[in-house]
């Protein structure tokens, strides 16, 4: 092994793990080893009430942990702590949570990191790109009966919250050495706490993780809204047009890659025309089923974001301009609803998801929009 590989593993905190994997051989490939972690995580989640908190709720819990929160927030924190400790529930995060809580100063961030580690145990929904691949694979399997889901998973841990795959190695090594390094890296990444992740950034997440949509982009979105409303487009027209654009721009490149890999691995048993037919079927079915509101739980991320955007673009009752926070809200919803049992968010978004879109029923996820509703759902333990 090269020295730079040793340094790389040292940064992950895994020299002892590397020695163990070297000693115990490399019969199990690294990708299968990662799969064992995923399988164990999925089994645990299957028996647990999975709760997603948006950033506002994490801030309320942080204040309660610091002793500066409301009595209601303090009560909710105590209840969640007890439920997690009893293995009755688990709170989970996603990269959007990381980006938003990272706007805090170090002192506040340290308290939040402790809370995240305690209530999530490092469990996170996969990154947006990984979720897109998973959801495309699920749709391909359901539509053209090609199983392209191997190696994909909608869940991960904080160490791989940005990318749910084996890390790239920074230098040459033997096959056996690479497998040992990769498996030791998986051990390190899947047991990494939030506190360690923030520490690696020097607790300067406000600058290093800061994310805002450019004002120019937001202004262009507002301009488009005004133009679309001037043309008199209906909600159905906007949602259909927006979804079709997303299918062309985001879904089909991923679906095409998955299908091409499937056909190539089997040496095109039905000929090249079968690949082209599969692509056309996937694209047409996605667009038509969304228009007909018959997708069910398939393609949830794209569908939820599209539905919320269409409501915004056709809303003539409010003059409030769109903001980065609105983008984060829709991103939280798109991650939480398909994969969690309960979603705690702000009141206005909860109203849209429940009363307008009926998304809580569609995806089988309770949507809670206030502390009062949370108390009703989670009585004091």
């Amino acid at each position: 092994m090269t020295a730079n590989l040793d340094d790389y593993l040292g940064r992950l905190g895994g020299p002892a793990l590397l020695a163990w994997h070297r000693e115990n051989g490399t019969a199990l490939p690294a990708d299968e080893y990662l799969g064992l972690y995923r399988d164990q995580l999925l089994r645990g989640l299957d028996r647990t009430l999975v709760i997603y908190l948006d950033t506002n709720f994490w801030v309320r819990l942080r204040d309660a942990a610091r002793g500066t929160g409301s009595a209601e927030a303090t009560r909710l924190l105590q209840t969640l702590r007890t439920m997690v400790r009893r293995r009755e529930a688990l709170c989970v995060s996603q990269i959007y949570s990381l980006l938003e809580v990272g706007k805090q100063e170090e002192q506040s961030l340290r308290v939040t990191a402790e809370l995240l580690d305690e209530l999530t145990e490092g469990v996170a929904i996969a990154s947006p790109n990984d979720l897109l691949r998973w959801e495309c694979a699920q749709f391909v399997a359901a539509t053209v009966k090609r199983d392209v889901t191997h190696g994909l998973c909608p869940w991960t841990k904080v160490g791989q919250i940005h990318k749910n795959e084996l890390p790239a190695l920074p230098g040459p090594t033997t096959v056996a050495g690479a497998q040992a390094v990769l498996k030791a890296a998986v051990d390190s990444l899947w047991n990494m706490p939030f506190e360690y992740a923030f520490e690696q950034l020097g607790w300067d997440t406000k600058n290093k993780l800061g994310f805002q949509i450019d004002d120019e982009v937001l202004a262009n979105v507002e301009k488009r809204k005004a133009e679309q409303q001037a043309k008199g487009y209906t909600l159905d027209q906007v949602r259909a047009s927006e979804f079709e654009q997303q299918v062309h721009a985001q879904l089909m490149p991923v679906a095409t890659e998955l299908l091409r890999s499937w056909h190539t691995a089997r040496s095109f048993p039905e000929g090249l025309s079968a690949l082209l037919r599969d692509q056309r079927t996937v694209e047409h079915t996605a667009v038509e089923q969304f228009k007909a509101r018959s997708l069910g739980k398939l393609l949830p991320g794209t569908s939820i974001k599209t539905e919320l955007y269409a409501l915004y673009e056709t809303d003539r009752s409010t003059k409030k301009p769109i903001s980065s926070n609105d983008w984060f809200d829709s991103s939280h919803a798109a991650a939480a609803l398909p994969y969690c049992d309960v979603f705690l968010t702000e009141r206005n978004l909860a109203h849209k998801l429940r009363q307008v879109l009926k998304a809580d029923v569609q995806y089988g996820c309770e949507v809670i929009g206030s502390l009062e509703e949370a108390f009703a759902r989670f009585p004091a333990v």
Side-chain angles (χ1 to χ4, degrees):
M1 171 162 345
T2 58
N4 59 338
L5 278 177
D6 283 322
D7 292 341
Y8 167 79
L9 196 62
R11 290 197 300 274
L12 288 175
L17 292 172
L18 175 59
W20 188 91
H21 283 292
R22 280 172 168 166
E23 181 180 344
N24 287 272
T26 57
L28 184 68
D31 58 342
E32 294 182 24
Y33 189 69
L34 175 58
L36 293 178
Y37 268 108
R38 290 172 175 166
D39 290 344
Q40 183 182 41
L41 174 58
L42 291 174
R43 286 195 299 271
L45 290 173
D46 193 49
R47 302 187 298 268
T48 304
L49 186 74
V50 181
I51 305 170
Y52 189 106
L53 294 83
D54 78 357
T55 308
N56 287 330
F57 271 91
W58 280 116
V59 169
R60 290 170 177 171
L61 296 183
R62 176 208 65 194
D63 291 344
R66 299 173 72 180
T68 59
S70 66
E72 293 81 3
T74 300
R75 175 183 160 189
L76 178 60
L77 175 58
Q78 292 170 343
T79 298
L80 291 176
R81 278 174 162 165
T82 301
M83 293 177 70
V84 171
R85 190 165 57 247
R86 292 180 179 176
R87 319 308 297 173
E88 297 171 354
L90 188 70
C91 301
V92 299
S93 66
Q94 220 250 7
I95 188 65
Y96 305 117
S97 305
L98 203 67
L99 293 174
E100 286 203 288
V101 301
K103 297 175 183 178
Q104 303 174 75
E105 300 293 346
E106 180 177 343
Q107 187 176 6
S108 295
L109 185 61
R110 286 183 178 274
V111 178
T112 305
E114 290 181 10
L115 269 180
L116 284 164
D117 285 329
E118 178 185 2
L119 297 182
T120 74
E121 299 181 355
V123 177
I125 298 171
S127 72
N129 287 339
D130 289 329
L131 277 188
L132 180 62
R133 288 184 65 81
W134 169 257
E135 292 170 6
C136 280
Q138 291 278 298
F139 189 72
V140 166
T143 305
V144 294
K145 311 305 178 187
R146 313 295 194 192
D147 185 1
V148 292
T149 61
H150 179 72
L152 303 179
C153 182
W155 291 98
T156 188
K157 297 292 285 290
V158 61
Q160 292 197 301
I161 201 169
H162 66 295
K163 197 173 188 181
N164 196 5
E165 60 184 39
L166 293 173
L169 298 180
T173 183
T174 64
V175 173
Q179 290 296 307
V181 170
L182 288 171
K183 287 193 285 187
V186 168
D187 287 331
S188 296
L189 292 168
W190 272 66
N191 291 280
M192 178 187 296
F194 274 95
E195 191 170 8
Y196 179 83
F198 290 144
E199 188 176 278
Q200 298 313 295
L201 297 171
W203 297 98
D204 186 24
T205 54
K206 194 170 185 180
N207 292 314
K208 296 179 180 178
L209 289 182
F211 174 82
Q212 293 287 334
I213 299 177
D214 291 340
D215 290 341
E216 183 178 353
V217 173
L218 295 174
N220 287 334
V221 174
E222 285 292 313
K223 180 181 178 182
R224 172 183 164 170
K225 175 181 178 178
E227 292 171 349
Q228 297 288 77
Q229 289 189 353
K231 294 175 182 177
Y233 290 148
T234 66
L235 176 62
D236 282 346
Q237 288 174 320
V238 171
R239 65 185 292 277
S241 173
E242 180 65 20
F243 188 81
E244 189 166 359
Q245 289 180 44
Q246 294 305 312
V247 167
H248 294 321
Q250 294 192 25
L251 297 183
M252 285 313 300
V254 176
T256 297
E257 177 196 342
L258 292 170
L259 284 166
R260 185 180 293 118
S261 295
W262 189 93
H263 284 273
T264 301
R266 292 159 180 78
S267 301
F268 291 87
E270 303 168 46
L272 181 60
S273 61
L275 169 59
L276 301 176
R277 183 174 63 249
D278 285 349
Q279 291 175 253
R280 289 194 296 268
T281 300
V282 167
E283 182 174 3
H284 176 78
T285 304
V287 171
E288 293 306 311
Q289 287 191 355
F290 182 79
K291 288 180 182 178
R293 291 181 166 84
S294 60
L295 274 175
K297 295 183 179 181
L298 292 173
L299 300 178
T302 305
S303 297
I304 293 166
K305 288 183 179 180
T306 298
E307 297 284 16
L308 289 171
Y309 178 79
L311 290 179
Y312 149 77
E313 192 168 278
T314 56
D315 182 6
R316 297 175 180 272
S317 64
T318 179
K319 300 301 181 183
K320 179 178 177 292
I322 195 170
S323 66
S324 291
N325 288 338
D326 296 317
W327 180 85
F328 274 112
D329 285 345
S330 66
S331 298
H332 285 307
L337 290 175
Y339 304 104
C340 301
D341 300 305
V342 184
F343 176 35
L344 277 67
T345 186
E346 51 96 14
R347 194 183 304 272
N348 183 51
L349 180 58
H351 171 77
K352 291 178 182 177
L353 295 173
R354 293 183 310 205
Q355 274 69 41
V356 181
L357 299 177
K358 312 296 183 187
D360 56 332
V361 176
Q362 180 176 352
Y363 297 103
C365 177
E366 288 185 72
V367 178
I368 293 174
S370 68
L371 282 171
E372 293 76 18
E373 291 178 20
F375 296 151
R377 178 60 180 82
F378 308 119
V381 179

